[in-house]
Amino acid sequence: MATHEILLIKPVENLGGEGDQVKVRAGYARNFLLPRGMALPLTKSNRKQVEALKKRRAARETEELAGAQALAQKLEKTGLAFAVKTGDGGKMFGAITAPDIHEKLVAAGFTIDRKKIHLFTPVKTLGKHTVKVKLHPEVTVELSFDVVSENPIVAPVEAPKTDDKKGEYRR
């Protein structure tokens, strides 16, 4: 397979950040990275740009880390509550999923990518739960939330058992 060595100008997920020299398949470089302005072919003149790109990358990464840490402190103080419909005995209808948590966070004024909320299984029980929010590769926050019933929980009442045979039909 033919490969090209290219210089990344912008960060590309699962490939690298700006200033990285990477080897990719020729078609990926020719059809995706180069036309979108994410990379340049690796030549002598382009290699001079590496230092400037690495400085810009370092500044961007420190800024992102500081922003993620500030957002993490705000998220730790935030408490979310979900009011859900329940049936007999407090059994929930449906479940709380990562998109539901994302909607609540957006409504609370946070701007977080939905993909950063790591809820491995949907929440199907009432009570207090936690979810991991990965804001940055070095910053992860455990966000706690409550799931409560919006209607009062009434335990199912069993009919009293009778031993007498009044009320039975005989043929």
Side-chain angles (χ1 to χ4, degrees), residues 41-60:
L42 193 58
T43 61
K44 289 181 183 178
S45 63
N46 290 341
R47 287 184 185 180
K48 293 178 184 177
Q49 293 181 355
V50 172
E51 291 303 317
L53 289 174
K54 286 186 179 180
K55 286 180 186 176
R56 187 171 58 182
R57 176 183 181 180
R60 179 186 51 84

Side-chain angles (χ1 to χ4, degrees), residues 17-39:
E18 61 248 39
D20 288 347
Q21 298 177 14
V22 293
K23 281 189 176 182
V24 294
R25 299 225 173 171
Y28 183 54
R30 181 179 58 243
N31 298 325
F32 184 76
L33 295 173
L34 295 174
R36 286 178 172 75
M38 296 177 166

Side-chain angles (χ1 to χ4, degrees), residues 23-170:
K23 281 189 176 182
V24 294
R25 299 225 173 171
Y28 183 54
R30 181 179 58 243
N31 298 325
F32 184 76
L33 295 173
L34 295 174
R36 286 178 172 75
M38 296 177 166
L40 293 173
L42 193 58
T43 61
K44 289 181 183 178
S45 63
N46 290 341
R47 287 184 185 180
K48 293 178 184 177
Q49 293 181 355
V50 172
E51 291 303 317
L53 289 174
K54 286 186 179 180
K55 286 180 186 176
R56 187 171 58 182
R57 176 183 181 180
R60 179 186 51 84
E61 286 178 349
T62 56
E63 183 180 315
E64 286 177 356
L65 180 61
Q69 289 172 341
L71 185 60
Q73 290 176 351
K74 289 180 185 176
L75 276 176
E76 287 175 346
K77 297 176 185 175
T78 304
L80 298 177
F82 291 91
V84 295
K85 293 184 179 181
T86 55
D88 293 335
K91 183 154 172 75
M92 277 179 57
F93 294 124
I96 303 296
T97 59
D100 297 330
I101 295 169
H102 179 255
E103 286 178 20
K104 282 280 190 181
L105 288 173
V106 168
F110 293 101
T111 54
I112 296 176
D113 186 19
R114 187 177 67 190
K115 295 175 187 174
K116 296 184 184 230
I117 299 171
H118 298 285
L119 183 65
F120 297 107
T121 56
V123 176
K124 296 182 180 181
T125 58
L126 298 176
K128 192 166 191 79
H129 301 279
T130 59
V131 63
K132 287 189 178 185
V133 180
K134 189 171 184 178
L135 301 171
H136 188 270
E138 299 173 13
V139 180
T140 303
V141 177
E142 288 210 4
L143 178 67
S144 62
F145 62 95
D146 293 318
V147 180
V148 295
S149 176
E150 67 180 28
N151 50 340
I153 299 174
V154 178
V157 178
E158 295 182 18
K161 296 180 181 178
T162 58
D163 291 337
D164 59 319
K165 299 191 181 212
K166 297 177 185 176
E168 284 188 6
Y169 292 102
R170 294 188 180 192

